[in-house]
Amino acid sequence: MAKRPTMTTSAGAPIPDNQNSLSAGERGPLLMQDYQLIEKLSHQNRERIPERAVHAKGWGALGKLVITGDISKYTIAKCLQPGAETPMISRFSTVAGEAGAADAERDVRGFSLKFYTQEGNWDLVGNNTPVFFVRDPVKFPDFIHTQKRHPKTNMRSPTAMWDFWSLSPESLHQVTILMSDRGCPQTPMQMNGYGSHTYSLWNDKGERFWVKFHFKTEQGHAYYTNAEAANLIGKTRESYQEALFGSIEQGKFPKWKMQIQIMPEAEAEKTSYNPFDITKVWPHAEYPCIDIGYFELNKNAENYFAEIENAAYSPSNVVPGISYSPDKMLQARIFSYADAHRHRLGTHYENIPVNRPKSPVNHYHRDGQMNTYGGIKTGNPDVYYEPNSFDGPVEEPRAKEPPLKISGDAARYNHREGNDDFVQVTALFNLFDAGEKQRLASNIAEAMAGIPVEIEERQCKLFDQVHADYGSSVRAAIAKLKASS
Ligand code: NDP
């Protein structure tokens, strides 16, 4: 048998005995000089890092993005050129639950993708829904507080959720998807992913196009009813991890078709809705989905913590040929996601192997905790500022995107004025068959159980404005539930 490796301290010294601590006499006490024991205990104390404030519970895997279509007229992005194959890692998640939450809970699912391109990492940090609850980021922390635990009871509060939603009509679109069948997918493989925000692509002529990214499941959609999910959670809290991890271990690699919708830059002025409003979709009839390729997940992480928990996705990570849009929620996430990782993982989180680009990294940031980057590797110690005369890394003009055209005065614009919060929800409601409409109403009634009647009614009045049947079916489901309890 091959000789087994020697166990060592973190400083590399051989450990002579990992079964018995060092004591003064057989019965103790222990000695301070047993630094191996002290190192072991102190590491255990530091095993947990700050949990993500949102999207704490997650599941992920590695794979590849393959481009089969030709969208070179829209973008210079190397990873989007015909035939490009790009290694990637994904992380799916629920939003509200903590790291130990059950997987099969009704919640929006995070759908985060990191592509290790030839020109840096491109992160798409989306959801399994094409829209979001709020359109102005100033409302985001308040919204999340309503989804988390009440400060006194330490329990989640349906009153807070419905109070906030009923006072925020822009949430109706996302609330309707959340309470519909797609609000509780059976596994991460059986849901779509959406970039959700409007981003932009730009080409070698300096033209910008607005773009939406879509990832359509090739496994088919499948959902749990509330009763099925409750039953499953009673048996296992890890159903998503079991399904995704198990499928990949068995060589069944899940796939998603990648599609884009494209809007010429000037058309953004003409649409009847604000195309940068994340509570809206772009209707397919106006902006058809174009097939451009697929991604496949084909490898489980070797170490969940190192690769999935440490994976840090941020919409700030774009690469030449791909950029942002004026979407206010996107603009705020460009700051807040990278900042969350600096807090959670440390200043140099992009140097952790799972986050480290596979293309060269040459920046002039210096020092800081856990800096293992160690400066620019030119062999010349004088290269530590810019500009310099010592052949240090320089700018790449090809990476300069076209100017973002902006008009308007700086002001706090009322995001509700002139914004229709109902038409697209009506279109969605009309897509549901009778069975899904009935499940929608009963899911909402169950989620509202115990909240004050005036909040219940305020929310039902919003449903009335989507469709008379929506309001009336929810009222009937509430009455039925109250009568049976
Ligand atoms: P379409 O009829 O062309 O598109 C409807 C889309 O709705 C489908 O392509 C599908 O999106 C999605 N869908 C179908 N059944 C369900 C369901 N049971 N639950 C949730 N989504 C479903 O019309 P529009 O493009 O005009 O959109 C109408 C409404 O559909 C929108 O207001 C929006 O609520 C919803 N929707 C639209 C999307 C878009 O990007 N336009 C994307 C997703 C939903 P998919 O192909 O992505 O599965």
Side-chain angles (χ1 to χ4, degrees):
M1 204 165 86
K3 188 175 180 307
R4 289 169 63 167
T6 298
M7 185 179 174
T8 72
T9 63
S10 53
I15 301 242
D17 185 344
N18 193 42
Q19 320 304 322
N20 304 293
S21 48
L22 186 66
S23 60
E26 191 183 351
R27 297 188 173 186
L30 300 179
L31 298 184
M32 274 294 284
Q33 78 169 60
D34 188 357
Y35 79 95
Q36 288 100 335
L37 170 67
I38 290 171
E39 180 178 286
K40 200 168 175 181
L41 295 177
S42 55
H43 267 267
Q44 185 186 29
N45 285 342
R46 289 163 178 78
E47 281 176 5
R48 300 281 85 79
I49 60 172
E51 176 174 298
R52 288 165 163 90
V54 285
H55 296 278
K57 180 78 188 276
W59 325 272
L62 296 94
K64 61 178 180 185
L65 169 70
V66 179
I67 300 300
T68 51
D70 185 353
I71 54 166
S72 53
K73 64 181 172 188
Y74 300 125
T75 180
I76 64 163
K78 291 189 176 167
C79 62
L80 295 179
Q81 299 309 310
E85 232 183 85
T86 306
M88 60 174 289
I89 186 164
S90 66
R91 184 175 183 273
F92 312 110
S93 49
T94 44
V95 180
E98 292 91 358
D103 295 348
E105 288 181 353
R106 181 170 298 280
D107 198 352
V108 171
R109 265 58 175 170
F111 199 103
S112 297
L113 310 173
K114 183 185 290 294
F115 304 108
Y116 301 99
T117 87
Q118 294 170 45
E119 293 194 288
N121 289 348
W122 173 36
D123 293 357
L124 260 178
V125 198
N127 281 327
N128 70 329
T129 64
V131 295
F132 194 64
F133 296 95
V134 293
R135 61 169 72 96
D136 193 312
V138 78
K139 295 175 70 71
F140 183 74
D142 288 303
F143 164 63
I144 292 300
H145 291 161
T146 70
Q147 302 296 302
K148 293 290 204 177
R149 292 172 188 272
H150 185 282
K152 182 166 182 182
T153 66
N154 200 33
M155 293 186 279
R156 293 185 68 190
S157 168
T159 297
M161 294 177 202
W162 290 104
D163 190 31
F164 183 91
W165 284 336
S166 63
L167 292 168
S168 311
E170 70 272 23
S171 64
L172 259 176
H173 204 171
Q174 180 80 320
V175 168
T176 302
I177 297 175
L178 173 63
M179 295 296 160
S180 76
D181 291 347
R182 288 197 186 183
C184 193
Q186 284 192 6
T187 71
M189 286 97 82
Q190 290 159 308
M191 62 188 194
N192 287 348
Y194 301 89
S196 303
H197 298 289
T198 298
Y199 289 87
S200 55
L201 297 178
W202 52 274
N203 65 17
D204 52 3
K205 297 194 194 103
E207 297 164 325
R208 188 189 294 274
F209 302 85
W210 307 118
V211 64
K212 293 267 196 196
F213 294 100
H214 303 255
F215 300 92
K216 305 283 176 67
T217 173
E218 300 222 332
Q219 292 63 244
H221 289 273
Y223 67 91
Y224 285 127
T225 63
N226 280 357
E228 287 167 343
N231 186 31
L232 179 70
I233 289 169
K235 294 181 184 134
T236 174
R237 299 172 66 77
E238 318 300 339
S239 52
Y240 274 38
Q241 182 70 6
E242 287 162 8
L244 180 63
F245 186 87
S247 176
I248 293 173
E249 286 298 289
Q250 287 167 27
K252 291 185 208 147
F253 301 144
K255 269 190 180 179
W256 283 261
K257 187 157 66 171
M258 183 175 185
Q259 299 179 325
I260 57 169
Q261 288 175 290
I262 285 279
M263 182 186 291
E265 188 175 27
E267 274 184 33
E269 305 293 322
K270 298 177 193 150
T271 51
S272 58
Y273 50 91
N274 172 3
F276 310 119
D277 173 353
I278 195 174
T279 69
K280 304 284 193 316
V281 294
W282 296 357
H284 290 141
E286 292 171 30
Y287 298 98
C289 289
I290 305 166
D291 287 342
I292 66 164
Y294 68 92
F295 80 82
E296 170 189 279
L297 299 179
N298 52 27
K299 188 176 177 310
N300 279 317
E302 291 302 321
N303 182 291
Y304 178 87
F305 181 84
E307 293 168 80
I308 306 300
E309 184 66 14
N310 267 348
Y313 301 86
S314 171
S316 51
N317 285 346
V318 291
V319 294
I322 304 173
S323 188
Y324 315 122
S325 81
D327 176 342
K328 292 177 191 178
M329 282 294 293
L330 172 61
Q331 296 272 319
R333 292 177 77 219
I334 290 167
F335 158 72
S336 70
Y337 275 54
D339 188 55
H341 300 312
R342 284 180 206 112
H343 163 67
R344 192 172 69 85
L345 301 170
T347 312
H348 293 280
Y349 70 92
E350 298 209 278
N351 204 28
I352 296 172
V354 68
N355 299 322
R356 197 181 295 155
K358 298 194 191 298
S359 57
V361 173
N362 291 305
H363 60 69
Y364 290 86
H365 306 316
R366 279 198 54 183
D367 305 347
Q369 278 191 337
M370 303 292 289
N371 181 5
T372 57
Y373 171 67
I376 293 166
K377 309 284 185 298
T378 64
N380 184 340
D382 291 330
V383 175
Y384 62 95
Y385 56 88
E386 208 283 330
N388 63 63
S389 314
F390 306 108
D391 294 335
V394 289
E395 302 141 343
E396 168 55 273
R398 196 185 62 84
K400 191 170 178 180
E401 66 178 292
L404 189 63
K405 298 180 181 115
I406 294 172
S407 60
D409 302 329
R412 294 188 185 275
Y413 293 92
N414 183 330
H415 69 84
R416 298 235 171 81
E417 268 169 24
N419 237 321
D420 179 289
D421 290 319
F422 303 100
V423 167
Q424 293 199 351
V425 196
T426 309
L428 177 65
F429 185 75
N430 287 336
L431 284 175
F432 297 156
D433 62 22
E436 186 161 11
K437 282 180 181 153
Q438 188 269 320
R439 289 188 293 279
L440 172 72
S442 64
N443 290 340
I444 291 172
E446 285 175 30
M448 281 183 168
I451 72 170
V453 175
E454 60 274 17
I455 295 179
E456 207 175 81
E457 190 45 31
R458 192 200 294 147
Q459 183 69 40
C460 284
K461 287 201 172 99
L462 294 178
F463 295 142
D464 290 337
Q465 290 181 74
V466 174
H467 197 293
D469 293 350
Y470 194 175
S472 62
S473 61
V474 172
R475 284 190 187 85
I478 293 172
K480 190 172 160 200
L481 198 67
K482 284 183 179 167
S484 68
S485 58

